[in-house]
Amino acid sequence: MERARVFKALGHPARLAIADELAGGERCVCELLELPALSKLSGPTVSQHLLVLKTSGIIADEKRGKNIYYRLQMPCVSRISLCVGER
């Protein structure tokens, strides 16, 4: 059941872009909003994608002052992306 939830969470291009970006290290939400894959999305839409990833356990967040920082909580996600990308 948990695996299905994780794969479902990764089933959207915007969420995959977020996970790929966080594989490179922690990012502030303001940095994530600048990603080309997310640039056409509204702030609330990106927040919903982040919530899906957080609820599924893929990412975690930490508030520091006015900013929220996200990090990959499930590092194996980046290996899955690489594996699928090799086809």
Side-chain angles (χ1 to χ4, degrees):
M1 186 72 133
E2 183 178 342
R3 287 188 302 168
R5 187 172 51 245
V6 168
F7 282 110
K8 184 176 180 180
L10 293 171
H12 191 281
R15 293 193 290 266
L16 277 174
I18 292 168
D20 286 345
E21 182 68 17
L22 295 178
E26 181 181 75
R27 298 288 185 267
C28 172
V29 70
C30 56
E31 294 172 304
L32 295 173
L33 289 170
E34 295 174 359
L35 291 175
L38 305 179
S39 64
K40 294 182 181 179
L41 302 178
S42 69
T45 299
V46 173
S47 292
Q48 285 300 312
H49 286 306
L50 290 166
L51 181 61
V52 169
L53 292 169
K54 182 179 170 183
T55 302
S56 65
I58 296 171
I59 65 172
D61 65 351
E62 180 181 337
K63 186 169 182 167
R64 295 185 208 145
K66 293 181 180 183
N67 293 321
I68 300 175
Y69 289 84
Y70 290 89
R71 68 182 177 285
L72 200 57
Q73 185 76 15
M74 196 178 285
C76 61
V77 167
S78 59
R79 291 192 303 274
I80 293 169
S81 292
L82 289 174
C83 175
V84 174
E86 291 176 357
R87 297 183 112 211

